Amino acid sequence: NGYDPADPSANLSVVFNADGDGLGNPSVQVNLQQRANSWFSKVLTSQVYLIKTTATAQVEANDGVFCMLSLDPTANHAISTSGSVVIDAQGCGLAVNSDSDTSLYLNGNVFVNVGDVHLAGNFDVVGGAAEFNYTNMRIHSSQTPDPYADLTVTGAPSSCTHAQQNAGPLSIHGDANLTPGVYCGGISFGGNGVITLAPGTYYMDGGSFSSQGGGSITGTGVTIILTNSGGSSYGSYGNIDVHGNRSISLTAPTSGTYGGVAIYQDRNTPTSCGNNTITGTAGLQVDGTIYTPSCGIDFGGNTAVTSATEICSKIISKTITYHGNPTIGSNCDGHGTRAIGAAAVRLVI
């Protein structure tokens, strides 16, 4: 507002305080000084008057209010709905990093009730049957940081040969009790069996985790990782492909390298991988984070296993398409998940 750095009396100082509020949140203070333009007073005196002003901006802690985050920076419909969709998750916010004018796209017979909405672009609600309720809305805002940007595939007890990957997935029909480890070529479930996953990390090396048919898949303290130890030299990166009428209940571990992560798709997965799918299930509960940064996900079942107040469910993906009546829960205390949220800055002085 008229500050002239070339003025001989001008002075600018910037002070950074790494612990501005005493809670580890930094602040920046700006101090300006400049000679005042005097009109009538200079007739009476030659004294120079200085104008001084100070402003301090405080970075507030990450509040972690979001349960849904789309990472694609430019996609249209980065978070969208397909068909009749009900998302009743008032305690959960959603964030979209795409700068598209239709980064959030709600179409059809849709009821969406969420908390804070944070969009790098804008949103579009199409059709009179769509109802969109939210606590707060910010559009054309900053992108939301990826809280798992540093997470990589580690700890695989062994790697698969090209021949083992090419042999295809382990095919299971009927009941089975599985243990953690490396599954060369992935796992394919069929039939109507009862599948129990013992606690631990399950590596799908060069293949998918796929399921169709009925029955159930249950795992507590489980992380499913989709990777490819052969890289581009051989093999492929798999997807999550769960559909049919099977009841799914997965709970992530609460600590360790993959604490809070139920499903993790290697970030080295080519973007040509297509979408992951967890849809059509008779009952769907994912207690933990689903993280697929390079590929999108179609998510949603038709019957919730438990209420949203009992679970912690977060989805971080390239793009997200919702179907049916998915349960999105925000009860994340003690679940080991990382908070999703952008740091806020406010003027305090």
Side-chain angles (χ1 to χ4, degrees):
N1 295 320
Y3 176 72
D4 181 10
D7 190 303
S9 65
N11 184 63
L12 165 66
S13 68
V14 179
V15 180
F16 172 74
N17 186 346
D19 189 20
D21 64 351
L23 299 174
N25 299 310
S27 66
V28 175
Q29 184 181 82
V30 177
N31 304 288
L32 290 176
Q33 172 186 298
Q34 183 171 293
R35 180 178 54 188
N37 289 321
S38 57
W39 303 101
F40 300 105
S41 62
K42 67 181 180 181
V43 177
L44 303 175
T45 178
S46 59
Q47 181 177 348
V48 175
Y49 294 93
L50 298 177
I51 298 174
K52 299 179 180 180
T53 187
T54 297
T56 300
Q58 177 72 52
V59 178
E60 296 182 333
N62 185 327
D63 52 17
V65 297
F66 302 116
C67 298
M68 300 160 266
L69 170 61
S70 167
L71 297 171
D72 193 297
T74 60
N76 297 323
H77 308 178
I79 291 185
S80 63
T81 58
S82 178
S84 296
V85 176
V86 176
I87 301 176
D88 192 2
Q90 189 172 8
C92 287
L94 65 86
V96 185
N97 284 349
S98 169
D99 59 6
S100 167
D101 285 338
T102 59
S103 64
L104 173 63
Y105 184 78
L106 307 179
N107 182 27
N109 185 19
V110 175
F111 174 80
V112 176
N113 181 35
V114 294
D116 290 352
V117 178
H118 189 100
L119 309 176
N122 210 332
F123 70 98
D124 195 10
V125 178
V126 180
E131 182 177 346
F132 183 27
N133 303 314
Y134 51 85
T135 304
N136 296 293
M137 168 75 76
R138 294 182 67 187
I139 62 173
H140 303 299
S141 189
S142 58
Q143 292 184 336
T144 300
D146 177 359
Y148 291 97
D150 64 332
L151 188 63
T152 58
V153 177
T154 59
S158 62
S159 59
C160 300
T161 66
H162 194 183
Q164 288 173 320
Q165 288 186 349
N166 284 344
L170 172 66
S171 182
I172 297 176
H173 294 264
D175 299 347
N177 295 314
L178 301 183
T179 57
V182 176
Y183 289 83
C184 301
I187 306 176
S188 176
F189 300 100
N192 298 303
V194 175
I195 309 300
T196 302
L197 306 180
T201 305
Y202 293 75
Y203 296 86
M204 305 297 113
D205 192 349
S208 296
F209 184 93
S210 62
S211 173
Q212 58 183 343
S216 64
I217 298 176
T218 304
T220 300
V222 166
T223 300
I224 298 171
I225 294 180
L226 302 153
T227 188
N228 177 19
S229 61
S232 59
S233 61
Y234 62 80
S236 62
Y237 289 86
N239 288 57
I240 290 288
D241 182 14
V242 176
H243 58 276
N245 198 38
R246 190 182 295 271
S247 175
I248 306 294
S249 178
L250 296 177
T251 301
T254 58
S255 61
T257 302
Y258 298 106
V261 178
I263 298 172
Y264 173 73
Q265 188 173 41
D266 195 324
R267 67 181 68 259
N268 294 317
T269 303
T271 56
S272 59
C273 58
N275 276 5
N276 296 282
T277 302
I278 306 178
T279 61
T281 57
L284 176 60
Q285 173 186 320
V286 178
D287 196 344
T289 299
I290 299 173
Y291 184 65
T292 62
S294 297
C295 311
I297 187 167
D298 291 353
F299 183 81
N302 295 316
T303 304
V305 176
T306 60
S307 70
T309 60
E310 297 173 351
I311 67 170
C312 170
S313 50
K314 298 185 179 184
I315 301 177
I316 304 174
S317 184
K318 182 181 179 183
T319 59
I320 306 170
T321 302
Y322 286 104
H323 303 259
N325 182 20
T327 300
I328 307 293
S330 60
N331 183 18
C332 292
D333 290 343
H335 286 254
T337 57
R338 299 185 188 181
I340 307 172
V345 179
R346 65 185 179 93
L347 195 65
V348 293
I349 298 178

